[in-house]
Amino acid sequence: MSQILRVALDTPLRRLFDYLPQAEASGEPVPLGSRVRVPFGRRRAVGMVMGIGANSEVPAARLKPILEVLDPRPLLDPASLALLEWAAQYYHHPLGEVLASALPKALRLGAAAVASEERWVVTAAGAQAARADEPRRAPRQRTLLALLMQQQAASAAFLDEHARPWREAARALAGRGWIASTEVAIAGSTAAAAAPRPPGPQLLPEQSAAVAAVGESLGSYAAFVLHGITGSGKTEVYLRLTERVLAAGRRALVLVPEIGLTPQLLGRFRERLAAPLAVLHSGLTDQERLGAWRDASSGHARIVVGTRSAVFAPVPDLGLIVIDEEHDPSFKQHEGGFRYSARDLAVVRARHAAVPVVLGSATPSLETLHNVAAQRYRLLRLERRAAQAQPPVLKLVDLRASSLRAGISTPAVLAIERHLSEGGQVLVFLNRRGYAPTLLCTACGWIAPCSECDARLTVHLSAQRLRCHHCGADAPLPARCLQCGFAVKPVGQGTERIAETLTALFPGAPIARLDRDVVRRRGDLEGVMRHMASGDTRILVGTQMVTKGHDFPNVTLVVVLNADQGLFSSDFRAAERLAQTIVQVAGRAGRGTRPGEVLIQTEFPDHPLLVNLLADGYDGFARIALLERQAADWPPFSRLAALRGSARSAAAALAFLTEARGLAPQPPAGVRLLGPVPAAMHKRAGRYHAQLLVESRTRTRLHEFLDGWLPQVERLKSARALRWSLDVDPLELF
Ligand code: ADP
Ligand code: ZN
Ligand code: ZN
């Protein structure tokens, strides 16, 4: 019996597909983890060999041979394959689609896994011809041949530079058999500059202890939580550990929430470590991503830094995984079909690879703290700021008791004035971009709505547009009410309006904005950062983007304009998010020698969350929040999965979930089904959304249940008529 190849293909079907080896196969077995091109229905597809068997359930006559082996050596090693298989099982998602999200697009389409370069060489016959000064009647060819005689194996790039146009002449010479082209594998593109490296600072005792603890575990699996207050020097710990790993001849994988927002981490790695570093993130072109992936895969890169999907990056001889800002929601893929947590997968990967993993944060997620309490993760603390900086002082501003000017309270205005006059920089945080969240008619009360969502349109004044922040709808800003024709006015505050107000209040202080409207193209963010770092910008107004790990030593005041949105949300994680945001944004203040001050504007200064956070810091908050989660049986004290559906009609989405619920076998003890319920924002982007929650005491029970249930859900007729997805460990409930 001949060999059967089991191939994973990028389809929603939860199975592998059987193929025969190539008809004119060399006899060499196709290695596991190699890509193959196969006939699939009427098209050709690229898939990956996940298994090899002796026989197939498909009748022999219907088995087709593969068309081509794309990787003579495996593209993915057994450890990477094991991680993908684990992920497919855990997230109950088809392996082919899991694989597809793990590979750069170019590789999915069949690009070569190894970077190579076209080079041209002169054959023996060509050399003879050149010596005879041939071909006489074709001067271009003669010149090219002469050049290639001098230049051993000239690359296409070299010829482009020195002999353009050369392609036609090369074809003619190749036709005579005088020259030939070859593909030569090239080393990676990310060279490290050879400049001498500045030594790092003398470590503080807590930093040394952390480095020592993780250092002792190199070579085996262990999970560490590096809980260090903002500015305590976590990056320095990552650097020292990476240094050790490199010295042992191994490689490091560092995951960060968003490359653009952590330019300083990347900069410090580049500056301090003399090792080629590959960067993988969503802003790359397909070719750049392919290049970075190849550098990682070939082992050329010694350090791989990347965002979410980099958790799947190939890293030969992996020695360490670091996840910086482990609490950041961007590590969870919350769109599309395959909704994985890169943080959780990183821990699984570390276990498979028998290497330590470090989860760093000033505000660890409650899940992670729970894992510490359960002794699955070891806690390492950095409680003091490095570089003599003091933790900032947090104060609440009672909005009920102070007058407001366009969203900014008098105490905040006075504080800004004081800090500016003392030479400090100021950061103003508001989690809403645009000019105003609402456009209101002053006569009839009409509010500009989004026609596709249960939401209002946001006013973007400088762009003169009304935009929906949920579906992207975009319309001109009307001068009059669309209902009665009377005058309209923007109501409420967005970053654009706050910047305008601050400009009026502080005409002498250069003000910059940082949000998705300002940062649209590559380089925009770097521009904002540069002006902050140089001190040209005195006040920076921004959204969530300003809360991330920047280190501007001269920022002495942070103002949080509105903390209240997170206080009364229906999402059980809202409190955790709010506490993290406040602590993180506060952490931008006073990182240098001058002390920092943080003002939080709120209408609810007595809210227990705020009181508790200010009195006991994040630790105190987390302690109480975990007790509340336990009392309510929410994660991490239970496990959740959300089955979601969306359809053009409200009824269809709910009907699908109701039908799915009806199919559920008698749930095992400890498993409950909740819903279905319409989403809080029922209509979004023209579709109605609803969800059905599965809650379970234990992970095992949850997965047992899902294993039995999902195949049935999939076979539902209604499942084919709408969009649905399963989200295991959902971060956002709606
Ligand atoms: P975190 O990532 O914990 O917020 P960083 O790693 O950005 O903190 O460190 C904050 C600042 O302290 C940086 O400017 C860094 O260079 C500096 N720093 C870190 N460790 C030390 C040390 N041991 N001695 C002096 N300065 C340090
Ligand atoms: Zn009106
Ligand atoms: Zn909309």
Short mmCIF file of all heavy atoms in Angstrom, two decimals, residues 449-472:
data_model
loop_
_atom_site.label_atom_id
_atom_site.label_comp_id
_atom_site.label_asym_id
_atom_site.label_seq_id
_atom_site.Cartn_x
_atom_site.Cartn_y
_atom_site.Cartn_z
N PRO A 449 -27.81 59.71 13.79
CA PRO A 449 -27.62 58.30 14.10
C PRO A 449 -26.85 57.60 12.98
O PRO A 449 -26.81 58.07 11.85
CB PRO A 449 -29.06 57.77 14.09
CG PRO A 449 -29.74 58.59 13.03
CD PRO A 449 -29.02 59.92 12.95
N CYS A 450 -26.26 56.45 13.31
CA CYS A 450 -25.71 55.61 12.26
C CYS A 450 -26.85 54.74 11.76
O CYS A 450 -27.57 54.14 12.55
CB CYS A 450 -24.57 54.75 12.78
SG CYS A 450 -23.96 53.62 11.50
N SER A 451 -26.98 54.67 10.44
CA SER A 451 -28.09 53.88 9.91
C SER A 451 -27.80 52.39 10.01
O SER A 451 -28.70 51.57 9.94
CB SER A 451 -28.35 54.27 8.46
OG SER A 451 -27.18 54.03 7.70
N GLU A 452 -26.53 52.02 10.20
CA GLU A 452 -26.15 50.61 10.22
C GLU A 452 -25.97 50.05 11.63
O GLU A 452 -25.78 48.85 11.81
CB GLU A 452 -24.84 50.40 9.44
CG GLU A 452 -24.90 50.85 8.00
CD GLU A 452 -26.00 50.15 7.24
OE1 GLU A 452 -25.96 48.91 7.18
OE2 GLU A 452 -26.91 50.83 6.72
N CYS A 453 -25.91 50.94 12.64
CA CYS A 453 -25.63 50.49 14.00
C CYS A 453 -26.61 51.14 14.98
O CYS A 453 -27.18 52.19 14.69
CB CYS A 453 -24.22 50.90 14.45
SG CYS A 453 -22.91 50.40 13.35
N ASP A 454 -26.74 50.54 16.15
CA ASP A 454 -27.45 51.19 17.24
C ASP A 454 -26.47 52.15 17.91
O ASP A 454 -26.01 51.91 19.02
CB ASP A 454 -27.93 50.16 18.27
CG ASP A 454 -28.98 49.25 17.67
OD1 ASP A 454 -29.72 49.70 16.78
OD2 ASP A 454 -29.06 48.08 18.09
N ALA A 455 -26.10 53.19 17.22
CA ALA A 455 -25.08 54.09 17.74
C ALA A 455 -25.23 55.46 17.11
O ALA A 455 -25.88 55.61 16.08
CB ALA A 455 -23.68 53.54 17.43
N ARG A 456 -24.59 56.44 17.78
CA ARG A 456 -24.59 57.79 17.24
C ARG A 456 -23.35 57.99 16.38
O ARG A 456 -22.35 57.30 16.58
CB ARG A 456 -24.55 58.79 18.39
CG ARG A 456 -25.79 58.70 19.22
CD ARG A 456 -25.61 59.41 20.54
NE ARG A 456 -26.88 59.37 21.24
CZ ARG A 456 -27.11 60.01 22.38
NH1 ARG A 456 -26.14 60.72 22.94
NH2 ARG A 456 -28.28 59.92 22.96
N LEU A 457 -23.45 58.96 15.49
CA LEU A 457 -22.28 59.29 14.68
C LEU A 457 -21.42 60.30 15.43
O LEU A 457 -21.94 61.19 16.11
CB LEU A 457 -22.73 59.86 13.34
CG LEU A 457 -23.44 58.85 12.42
CD1 LEU A 457 -24.00 59.55 11.20
CD2 LEU A 457 -22.48 57.73 12.02
N THR A 458 -20.12 60.16 15.31
CA THR A 458 -19.19 61.06 15.97
C THR A 458 -18.84 62.21 15.02
O THR A 458 -18.61 61.99 13.83
CB THR A 458 -17.91 60.30 16.35
OG1 THR A 458 -18.28 59.23 17.23
CG2 THR A 458 -16.92 61.19 17.07
N VAL A 459 -18.80 63.41 15.60
CA VAL A 459 -18.44 64.58 14.81
C VAL A 459 -16.92 64.66 14.67
O VAL A 459 -16.20 64.62 15.67
CB VAL A 459 -18.95 65.87 15.50
CG1 VAL A 459 -18.55 67.10 14.69
CG2 VAL A 459 -20.45 65.80 15.72
N HIS A 460 -16.44 64.74 13.44
CA HIS A 460 -15.03 65.00 13.17
C HIS A 460 -14.96 66.36 12.49
O HIS A 460 -15.22 66.48 11.30
CB HIS A 460 -14.43 63.90 12.29
CG HIS A 460 -14.27 62.60 13.03
ND1 HIS A 460 -13.05 62.15 13.48
CD2 HIS A 460 -15.18 61.70 13.44
CE1 HIS A 460 -13.23 61.00 14.12
NE2 HIS A 460 -14.51 60.69 14.11
N LEU A 461 -14.66 67.38 13.31
CA LEU A 461 -14.85 68.74 12.84
C LEU A 461 -13.83 69.15 11.78
O LEU A 461 -14.20 69.69 10.74
CB LEU A 461 -14.80 69.71 14.03
CG LEU A 461 -15.32 71.10 13.72
CD1 LEU A 461 -16.82 71.07 13.43
CD2 LEU A 461 -15.04 72.06 14.87
N SER A 462 -12.56 68.89 12.02
CA SER A 462 -11.56 69.37 11.06
C SER A 462 -11.73 68.65 9.72
O SER A 462 -11.52 69.22 8.67
CB SER A 462 -10.14 69.18 11.61
OG SER A 462 -9.91 67.82 11.85
N ALA A 463 -12.13 67.40 9.77
CA ALA A 463 -12.36 66.66 8.53
C ALA A 463 -13.74 66.99 7.95
O ALA A 463 -14.04 66.61 6.83
CB ALA A 463 -12.23 65.17 8.77
N GLN A 464 -14.59 67.67 8.73
CA GLN A 464 -15.96 67.98 8.32
C GLN A 464 -16.75 66.72 7.96
O GLN A 464 -17.41 66.65 6.92
CB GLN A 464 -15.94 68.95 7.11
CG GLN A 464 -15.60 70.39 7.49
CD GLN A 464 -16.75 71.06 8.25
OE1 GLN A 464 -17.86 71.16 7.75
NE2 GLN A 464 -16.48 71.50 9.47
N ARG A 465 -16.60 65.69 8.81
CA ARG A 465 -17.31 64.43 8.57
C ARG A 465 -18.05 63.98 9.81
O ARG A 465 -17.70 64.36 10.93
CB ARG A 465 -16.34 63.29 8.20
CG ARG A 465 -15.32 63.59 7.15
CD ARG A 465 -15.90 63.79 5.79
NE ARG A 465 -16.54 62.60 5.22
CZ ARG A 465 -17.14 62.60 4.03
NH1 ARG A 465 -17.20 63.70 3.31
NH2 ARG A 465 -17.69 61.50 3.57
N LEU A 466 -19.05 63.16 9.58
CA LEU A 466 -19.69 62.41 10.65
C LEU A 466 -19.25 60.97 10.46
O LEU A 466 -19.38 60.44 9.36
CB LEU A 466 -21.22 62.48 10.51
CG LEU A 466 -21.94 63.70 11.07
CD1 LEU A 466 -23.43 63.58 10.74
CD2 LEU A 466 -21.73 63.81 12.57
N ARG A 467 -18.74 60.34 11.51
CA ARG A 467 -18.25 58.97 11.33
C ARG A 467 -18.78 58.06 12.41
O ARG A 467 -18.94 58.46 13.56
CB ARG A 467 -16.72 58.94 11.37
CG ARG A 467 -16.10 59.59 10.19
CD ARG A 467 -14.61 59.34 10.11
NE ARG A 467 -14.09 60.12 8.99
CZ ARG A 467 -13.03 60.91 9.06
NH1 ARG A 467 -12.35 61.02 10.18
NH2 ARG A 467 -12.64 61.58 8.00
N CYS A 468 -19.03 56.81 12.01
CA CYS A 468 -19.42 55.81 12.98
C CYS A 468 -18.17 55.07 13.44
O CYS A 468 -17.42 54.55 12.62
CB CYS A 468 -20.41 54.83 12.38
SG CYS A 468 -20.82 53.52 13.54
N HIS A 469 -17.95 55.01 14.74
CA HIS A 469 -16.77 54.35 15.26
C HIS A 469 -16.96 52.84 15.38
O HIS A 469 -16.09 52.13 15.85
CB HIS A 469 -16.36 54.95 16.60
CG HIS A 469 -15.78 56.33 16.44
ND1 HIS A 469 -15.25 57.04 17.48
CD2 HIS A 469 -15.64 57.12 15.34
CE1 HIS A 469 -14.81 58.22 17.04
NE2 HIS A 469 -15.05 58.29 15.75
N HIS A 470 -18.13 52.37 15.00
CA HIS A 470 -18.39 50.92 15.10
C HIS A 470 -18.36 50.24 13.74
O HIS A 470 -17.92 49.11 13.64
CB HIS A 470 -19.73 50.69 15.79
CG HIS A 470 -19.79 51.36 17.13
ND1 HIS A 470 -19.18 50.83 18.24
CD2 HIS A 470 -20.31 52.54 17.51
CE1 HIS A 470 -19.35 51.65 19.25
NE2 HIS A 470 -20.04 52.70 18.85
N CYS A 471 -18.84 50.93 12.71
CA CYS A 471 -18.87 50.28 11.39
C CYS A 471 -18.08 51.04 10.35
O CYS A 471 -17.91 50.58 9.24
CB CYS A 471 -20.31 50.12 10.92
SG CYS A 471 -21.06 51.68 10.42
N GLY A 472 -17.58 52.22 10.71
CA GLY A 472 -16.79 52.98 9.75
C GLY A 472 -17.61 53.85 8.81
O GLY A 472 -17.05 54.51 7.95
#
